Amino acid sequence: MDVREEPAGLLQAPPDVNARNCPSRVILEHVTSRWGVLVLAALIDGTLRFSELRRTVGGVSEKMLAQTLQTLERDGFVHREAHPVIPPRVEYSLTPLGKEAADQVWALARWTEDRTGQVIAARRTYDEARA
Amino acid sequence: MDVREEPAGLLQAPPDVNARNCPSRVILEHVTSRWGVLVLAALIDGTLRFSELRRTVGGVSEKMLAQTLQTLERDGFVHREAHPVIPPRVEYSLTPLGKEAADQVWALARWTEDRTGQVIAARRTYDEARA
DNA sequence: CAGGATCCAGTACGATACTG
DNA sequence: CAGTATCGTACTGGATCCTG
């Protein structure tokens, strides 16, 4: 028996191929994806334009940024506002739902940073043990 | 100016290629990886054997489970205990560090499940808007 | 400026077969 | 049982070029 209330679908995957069609897993993968995490974190402070995001989230290509933003917008995490001016001006911000996700993801990111030293040390121990 | 204290390294990536060598990002990717999340969540309840994990985390292949466990063990999140008996018996559990990570990841997973309906609805709205 | 389209390399992943 | 080894594929993600 499981004391914890099972999410019924997240851990116990459907019988089909790769469980990719389990809705909650897919959403979780969007939120925890490589760039999804960083984009959400970057938008916590407020609205940012495409190029600002690109500078804030270092290392992201245009393609992946656009793709990540579309996914997050479609899932209802990010609000996109395009101003019909020339040159184009598009602003991205978090929806209330996105803010909730971003807060959690950001907490995890901060936690990870704080423990980086511990993890590095653990790795050295691990590596030395089998050298 | 940024009100929030910057993690200095997580968002602002190093100038080199793809920022993959930023230590905290790599760790974050391990923890938030597709199977990493689910393995951590599965171990919250306590110790599990390899085959038990394979059944608990539905859809994971032997290869990916072994690989994920090794990564998490090396990072110091998972403790591996091999009993020298025949047939082999290997038990996996969370370290204190891993428990902290698992709790956060699990909270995020639960949150995602709770909001799945909202996200599906957002997607419909989004899709209909451009149909 | 904000992105779409295209091409291509690397890798993540799964299926299968095999071992101590 | 608990993996490792090998293989083949599908997808990720970056570089580059192009457009309104």
Side-chain angles (χ1 to χ4, degrees), chain B residues 55-77:
Chain B
R55 261 173 278 118
T56 304
V57 180
V60 66
S61 67
E62 290 185 5
K63 177 184 171 182
M64 289 316 297
L65 180 55
Q67 191 172 298
T68 302
L69 283 169
Q70 279 169 19
T71 302
L72 293 178
E73 187 197 356
R74 192 168 103 98
D75 283 0
F77 295 131

Side-chain angles (χ1 to χ4, degrees), chain B residues 79-96:
Chain B
H79 172 67
R80 181 194 132 117
E81 184 143 8
H83 299 83
V85 297
I86 294 185
R89 179 178 190 85
V90 182
E91 310 202 305
Y92 293 93
S93 57
L94 293 176
T95 63

Side-chain angles (χ1 to χ4, degrees), chain A residues 111-130:
Chain A
W111 179 88
T112 302
E113 274 232 314
D114 289 346
R115 311 300 168 159
T116 299
Q118 264 181 268
V119 171
I120 305 273
R123 280 187 201 158
R124 188 162 40 231
T125 304
Y126 180 94
D127 291 342
E128 280 169 1
R130 55 218 75 201

